[in-house]
Amino acid sequence: MTSQVKTFGFGMPWESSYGYSQAVQAGDTVYVSGQLSHDRHGDFVGAGDFGLQVRTTLENLDLVLERFGAERGQIVETTVLVRNLRENFDAMARLHAEYFGEHRPTSTVMGVPDLALPDQLVEIGALVRLDVKP
């Protein structure tokens, strides 16, 4: 049996210029590209404010989940890229835990020297299983 692949994009200019989707569903698995802090018009949000960037990034992750009819409890893994990790780790850990509540997905957190946008401090990707009951 062949599984249909579904894709999702916000319609941001960088999706076509870089050539990627925000998320791809293959079977019961949704692979979510690294989300960042931008509004619906593609404008960056939160320059210099790590907490705001994390919250906006997670709001964008929620929009991707919504598109696939998924919930936070169906996220089984996150990949978190953070600039200035030593400086931002405690805030990242607190905001990640707040976002997930009692749910505990696996998570890899990596310190990186740079991200795609000059003011970007965080990027969060996820693996979602639609067959998991939250």
Side-chain angles (χ1 to χ4, degrees), residues 9-10 19 32 39 60 78 87 105 114 122:
F10 287 120
V32 182
D39 64 17
N60 287 334
T78 61
E87 176 184 327
D114 209 1
V122 65

Side-chain angles (χ1 to χ4, degrees), residues 26-123:
D28 287 330
T29 304
V30 179
Y31 303 87
V32 182
S33 292
Q35 298 298 296
L36 58 106
S37 183
H38 65 82
D39 64 17
R40 300 291 63 84
H41 305 288
D43 297 320
F44 187 77
V45 174
D49 187 334
F50 184 78
L52 178 58
Q53 284 191 36
V54 172
R55 285 190 280 288
T56 304
T57 297
L58 292 171
E59 288 170 8
N60 287 334
L61 178 55
D62 281 340
L63 292 173
V64 174
L65 293 176
E66 182 180 303
R67 170 64 176 84
F68 290 94
E71 300 176 27
R72 295 174 185 180
Q74 292 173 293
I75 295 174
V76 296
E77 178 181 44
T78 61
T79 302
V80 183
L81 308 177
V82 180
R83 283 180 54 196
N84 306 315
L85 181 61
R86 288 296 93 211
E87 176 184 327
N88 292 314
F89 181 78
D90 289 342
M92 184 67 242
R94 179 179 48 78
L95 293 166
H96 190 272
E98 284 176 13
Y99 177 79
F100 284 104
E102 294 300 312
H103 177 60
R104 296 286 184 257
T106 64
S107 184
T108 301
V109 180
M110 293 176 273
V112 296
D114 209 1
L115 289 164
L117 302 177
D119 292 320
Q120 185 181 356
L121 299 173
V122 65
E123 186 166 317

